[in-house]
Amino acid sequence: MSLEGLQQAVRAAVEDPTLTYRQRVQLLASLAENALDPPPLSPEAEEALDKRVICDMYEGNAPYRPRYVLPDYAAALRNGSDFLELAPPTDIDEALTFLLAMYANVPSITGYPVYLGNLDELLAPFEASVSDDALHRKLRNFWITIDRTMPDAFTHTNIGPDDSRVGRMILRITRELKQVVPNLTLRVDPDRTPDDYVLDAVDTVFACGAPHFVNHPMMTADLGERYGVVSCYNSLLVGGGAHTLVRLNLKEVVLRTDKGIEGFLHTTLPAYVGLTAELAATRIRHLVETARFYEHSWLVEEGLIDPDRFTAMFGVVGLAEAVDLLQEREGRSGSYGHDDVANALAHTITEALADLVDDAPLPYCSANGGRAFLHSQAGLDSDDGFTAGTRIPIGTEPPLLEHLLAVAPLHAYFPSGVSDVLAFDETATRNPQAVVDVVRGALAEGMRDVTFNLDSNDFIRITGYLVRKSDLADLPEHGARHGSTLLGAGSVERSHVTKRTVKRVISLESAPRRAR
Amino acid sequence: MLADTVRFSWVDGPGNRYVLFLQGCNFNCTACHNPHTIPLVTHRARLVNVADVLAELRPLHHFLSGITVSGGEATLQHRFVHDLFLAVKSEAELAHLTTFLDTNGSAPVSTWDLLLPVTDGAMVDLKALDPDLHIALTDSPNDDVKLSIQRLAEAGKLHEVRLLLVPGVNDTDDQLRRTANWLLSVDPAMRIKVIGFRGHGVRASARHWPEATAERRREWQSVLRQAGVRRLDLV
């Protein structure tokens, strides 16, 4: 950018009437960072990045903080912190104050923490002596403070898999307050999480679109007991995180091969996986060696994150379009999500991709043996013309069971998260147990992440984060307190997230029984 | 003889259920939404056996709370229903599935003797409490329907009674009160589902019937509540 261009952009940020003060500060920081040249890439990678075949997620030209940081909050509460000048808390008030103070000092790509901890576990040592009423009041105030001081729906907290009074209270408060911050995940273990707890969570989704459900046994098998779900369904190691997230657009890769499936799998795909890995490596080196984040972070100094528990995330988008384009080239008409051959091809591509990523060593990625975690990336607000991650294109989703069976086999390949958003109609609210059945069935079928929306409430999942439809309506005139609402507006405009196929479940009373 | 199946249904009993719609009904309801399932034989129906159904169920079992057999009238094929439910309960992988019937309640006592040991719950339609009106609406008397409701309630297996209400036909306040009183005399905690008539899919003879206004639906609700119905669903 020329100096004059930069000055214009800075001027526009300073004078934008729809941005809050904090949003302006963030934008100014980003403009300053991007005034620097990015870490150099090979001409091939440069070209691929320029054409957005590969993407750095617009993290910025000079990575100076990791994308996702998952501090070990439990250790901090146990040991206290010199940096925060706080002794280990002795009661729930001190614990909540400790956490709020800590949150204000945890970096992430968004400028806000993306991970607030597994709050039921963190507060377990302190809750016993607190009455239900007092617990309600304290957590409610805590929740409000989080929403008002960290106005970013990528901020994420986890509960489960065990039932707990704190977890139940968090669900209740989530229903009462109907905030979009913080985002919430319930970790579900079929052997440990009672139906009744999942049911409580399902009712909470009906009220306000959260929580998201995650397959706890699958996660612990891949990531170990100490994992967290952050931002838009990124699962990573607690006490670690991800240096960076880069992604590959499979649709664009297919468009760059004139060969069929074999050529794509054995020539073009490996080449672009290599370029994506190069982009990741370059950015990691800048973060670790040039910006030297880990050498001067209080979180490292106090043992709350460990560079050895970090890795990178290798994101993928556009699988649906890639499959359909290849199907076309093979003279076949079936499309992803609707056709067994297409679904099998999606599986083949994903498996090949996983092998390639596994063969692409990256520096400073000890958390996964020097490799990136494969991730089905949930999209960016600016995306247009291809489908997020490995999802079935919005508006073309098949009936519920077919949908689940099409996507479930892919989930095993994405240890750091994959999301398929299901939209249910009002019928669900009359029979929440049916949704519990579907969630449990989906997990048993091998789905790692399960997210659903009720078509009729005020909340909408954009990529993985939530916005309120009513906030979007106000946006043009008044701006928004949550930065993520601004992003959501872009997604609604471009990717039709409001048009997800609503799962209508056949009703004896309202639908004729059709022969299938 | 099977009319159709639905692999995921959220409106045929508790939880997510696999539903079989059997072909053939002994009632001939004016308001029937699926009149093609009334004849015992039709080219649209197909013959299946228990093994066929189990084969379809097995890959789905972890998504389901149970199975429901509906119709047509499920109890007309009570042998099949019995064998199916017994087979479900005998197979370790499927034994967690609850077995439900959606019935018009016309089955005689002997049929319930056969089915109750393998049935976990039933939804029974009561088209009208008044015998003459019942005949007018269904071509059949309702003595057996009332007996079935009593028998199922005694066995603790009556999941709900469904009232399909048609404005001006079977929904006067007095009719509703008497129906509620009788049902509550059978079981004070009776769960009642009120279904407002909808013209979609019905035969020409019912097409002129009105659908209830939102106001009338609220009135149904308040009459039934005042009569003491505590567990009430209105759909």
Side-chain angles (χ1 to χ4, degrees):
Chain A
M1 193 187 288
S2 68
L3 181 59
E4 201 182 333
L6 176 65
Q7 283 175 334
Q8 275 172 10
V10 168
R11 174 61 60 194
V14 166
E15 294 179 4
D16 187 335
T18 66
L19 296 181
T20 65
Y21 161 72
R22 272 184 87 156
Q23 287 160 356
R24 285 185 200 188
V25 171
Q26 285 210 340
L27 182 52
L28 290 171
S30 150
L31 288 169
E33 182 187 348
N34 290 335
L36 299 175
D37 289 329
L41 295 167
S42 68
E44 294 80 13
E46 194 72 63
E47 161 86 10
L49 179 62
D50 191 48
K51 297 288 190 315
R52 293 292 151 185
V53 186
I54 66 177
C55 181
D56 59 6
M57 308 303 289
Y58 308 93
E59 283 180 352
N61 283 357
Y64 61 97
R65 74 286 196 204
R67 182 174 185 90
Y68 298 132
V69 178
L70 290 77
D72 186 343
Y73 292 107
L77 291 173
R78 214 164 41 236
N79 303 330
S81 164
D82 290 341
F83 178 81
L84 296 174
E85 299 181 54
L86 287 171
T90 58
D91 64 25
I92 194 160
D93 289 325
E94 288 181 8
L96 293 174
T97 301
F98 190 109
L99 287 172
L100 287 174
M102 193 163 164
Y103 295 157
N105 290 282
V106 171
S108 278
I109 197 69
T110 55
Y112 300 98
V114 290
Y115 177 62
L116 304 181
N118 304 341
L119 280 170
D120 48 0
E121 288 170 6
L122 293 175
L123 298 178
F126 309 103
E127 56 96 23
S129 60
V130 183
S131 72
D132 283 350
D133 282 351
L135 184 66
H136 176 250
R137 197 174 61 248
K138 289 172 198 300
L139 282 178
R140 190 182 155 94
N141 286 332
F142 182 69
W143 232 240
I144 291 171
T145 307
I146 289 171
D147 179 73
R148 305 306 191 271
T149 58
M150 285 171 276
D152 183 297
F154 301 106
T155 296
H156 208 126
T157 182
N158 295 190
I159 55 175
D162 296 318
D163 200 352
S164 66
R165 194 163 70 113
V166 169
R168 294 276 186 163
M169 195 61 85
I170 285 172
L171 289 176
R172 178 180 153 193
I173 290 166
T174 300
R175 288 192 297 267
E176 283 172 5
L177 293 174
K178 295 186 169 58
Q179 297 171 170
V180 293
V181 182
N183 205 338
L184 182 64
T185 284
L186 176 66
R187 311 190 295 171
V188 181
D189 180 334
D191 295 331
R192 287 164 64 182
T193 315
D195 251 14
D196 181 50
Y197 196 22
V198 180
L199 190 65
D200 206 5
V202 164
D203 279 330
T204 309
V205 179
F206 291 158
C208 52
H212 159 78
F213 301 84
V214 75
N215 192 327
H216 185 69
M218 206 169 168
M219 286 299 186
T220 51
D222 287 337
L223 303 178
E225 283 293 327
R226 292 170 64 215
Y227 78 93
V229 177
V230 312
S231 191
C232 297
Y233 324 128
N234 304 275
S235 31
L236 294 160
L237 272 56
V238 168
H243 303 296
T244 183
L245 165 62
V246 292
R247 75 175 191 191
L248 177 61
N249 185 335
L250 293 172
K251 175 190 177 185
E252 292 296 325
V253 178
V254 173
L255 292 175
R256 279 161 180 77
T257 177
D258 48 11
K259 306 182 188 82
I261 291 171
E262 290 307 307
F264 166 78
L265 288 176
H266 298 121
T267 310
T268 326
L269 185 61
Y272 280 97
V273 167
L275 298 179
T276 317
E278 181 193 331
L279 178 63
T282 307
R283 298 184 60 78
I284 294 168
R285 285 212 171 84
H286 185 280
L287 174 70
V288 178
E289 296 170 359
T290 309
R292 293 159 62 187
F293 171 83
Y294 300 97
E295 291 173 37
H296 52 70
S297 162
W298 73 279
L299 292 165
V300 178
E301 219 161 87
E302 300 200 359
L304 304 176
I305 57 173
D306 175 352
D308 286 342
R309 289 180 68 78
F310 275 78
T311 182
M313 297 174 72
F314 190 112
V316 56
V317 292
L319 176 67
E321 288 75 15
V323 168
D324 291 357
L325 283 169
L326 288 170
Q327 282 279 95
E328 220 170 90
R329 286 197 196 160
E330 302 289 326
R332 302 191 293 243
S333 62
S335 61
Y336 175 53
H338 301 267
D339 176 84
D340 289 345
V341 176
N343 291 349
L345 177 56
H347 196 263
T348 305
I349 293 173
T350 305
E351 193 179 14
L353 183 63
D355 287 345
L356 290 167
V357 170
D358 216 35
D359 280 343
L362 288 175
Y364 307 109
C365 285
S366 316
N368 192 35
R371 308 291 190 272
F373 278 138
L374 192 57
H375 177 66
S376 176
Q377 203 277 322
L380 279 171
D381 67 299
S382 53
D383 288 347
D384 202 1
F386 59 91
T387 302
T390 48
R391 291 181 188 168
I392 296 168
I394 287 174
T396 73
E397 296 98 333
L400 181 56
L401 179 61
E402 286 74 11
H403 191 164
L404 297 174
L405 295 179
V407 299
L410 304 183
H411 281 217
Y413 295 101
F414 299 100
S416 62
V418 44
S419 70
D420 293 285
V421 183
L422 309 167
F424 294 157
D425 78 355
E426 282 289 316
T427 316
T429 60
R430 294 206 200 95
N431 192 351
Q433 180 61 40
V435 179
V436 175
D437 290 342
V438 169
V439 169
R440 284 192 177 281
L443 298 180
E445 195 65 37
M447 281 183 75
R448 184 184 297 278
D449 295 272
V450 180
T451 313
F452 72 92
N453 257 352
L454 199 59
D455 191 47
S456 54
N457 68 19
D458 188 35
F459 292 79
I460 180 169
R461 286 258 170 209
I462 298 295
T463 59
Y465 62 94
L466 287 165
V467 301
R468 283 189 291 232
K469 293 172 194 162
S470 47
D471 287 344
L472 290 177
D474 281 347
L475 199 59
E477 267 181 60
H478 304 294
R481 187 165 52 80
H482 297 110
S484 40
T485 301
L486 302 173
L487 295 175
S491 280
V492 170
E493 240 171 72
R494 276 178 287 274
S495 69
H496 316 293
V497 285
T498 48
K499 299 188 180 67
R500 287 197 175 100
T501 307
V502 178
K503 302 294 189 234
R504 295 196 178 281
V505 175
I506 303 258
S507 153
L508 173 61
E509 305 301 338
S510 62
R513 296 159 199 166
R514 285 158 298 169
R516 263 165 295 273
Chain B
M1 189 59 76
L2 181 72
D4 202 2
T5 60
V6 169
R7 293 183 296 174
F8 280 15
S9 168
W10 297 357
V11 295
D12 293 287
N16 188 32
R17 311 189 71 79
Y18 182 93
V19 186
L20 296 105
F21 298 98
L22 304 191
Q23 180 70 34
C25 187
N26 54 333
F27 282 9
N28 187 25
C29 298
T30 318
C32 183
H33 282 74
N34 297 288
H36 68 269
T37 66
I38 295 176
L40 283 169
V41 180
T42 153
H43 68 280
R44 286 210 261 186
R46 62 195 162 103
L47 268 176
V48 295
N49 59 32
V50 169
D52 298 333
V53 178
L54 295 188
E56 258 214 61
L57 266 179
R58 276 185 203 108
L60 303 177
H61 74 91
H62 48 275
F63 287 104
L64 301 171
S65 273
I67 68 169
T68 297
V69 182
S70 181
E73 173 47 37
T75 58
L76 292 184
Q77 301 182 46
H78 47 263
R79 228 339 113 191
F80 169 79
V81 173
H82 171 269
D83 293 352
L84 173 64
F85 284 2
L86 186 64
V88 165
K89 294 194 172 296
S90 311
E91 187 165 320
E93 201 181 44
L94 303 178
H96 72 277
L97 300 177
T98 57
T99 51
F100 272 62
L101 279 169
D102 184 349
T103 173
N104 64 19
S106 63
V109 169
S110 58
T111 298
W112 292 120
D113 288 342
L114 175 74
L115 291 179
L116 275 180
V118 292
T119 302
D120 294 311
M123 286 82 70
V124 183
D125 283 354
L126 178 60
K127 307 289 184 194
L129 187 70
D130 175 68
D132 296 332
L133 182 57
H134 195 273
I135 290 172
L137 290 174
T138 69
D139 280 357
S140 306
N142 67 3
D143 311 87
D144 282 334
V145 179
K146 289 170 67 181
L147 281 175
S148 294
I149 287 172
Q150 284 168 322
R151 176 77 198 277
L152 284 160
E154 274 161 29
K157 294 188 172 178
L158 183 61
H159 178 67
E160 70 188 12
V161 170
R162 297 173 166 181
L163 308 177
L164 175 67
L165 298 185
V166 188
V169 175
N170 63 350
D171 79 325
T172 67
D173 289 0
D174 183 54
Q175 282 166 324
L176 282 182
R177 258 193 299 271
R178 282 188 294 116
T179 306
N181 288 342
W182 182 76
L183 288 172
L184 295 175
S185 76
V186 175
D187 176 3
M190 180 84 70
R191 183 180 144 115
I192 296 175
K193 181 180 270 183
V194 171
I195 301 164
F197 170 79
R198 291 189 202 92
H200 180 74
V202 301
R203 288 174 292 189
S205 50
R207 236 164 259 157
H208 65 280
W209 282 354
E211 296 188 7
T213 61
E215 195 192 345
R216 186 63 197 142
R217 291 163 61 85
R218 278 193 295 275
E219 286 164 4
W220 291 344
Q221 199 162 9
S222 86
V223 170
L224 290 168
R225 289 241 181 260
Q226 275 167 21
V229 177
R230 293 198 299 275
R231 297 166 70 204
L232 179 65
D233 267 345
L234 184 69
V235 299

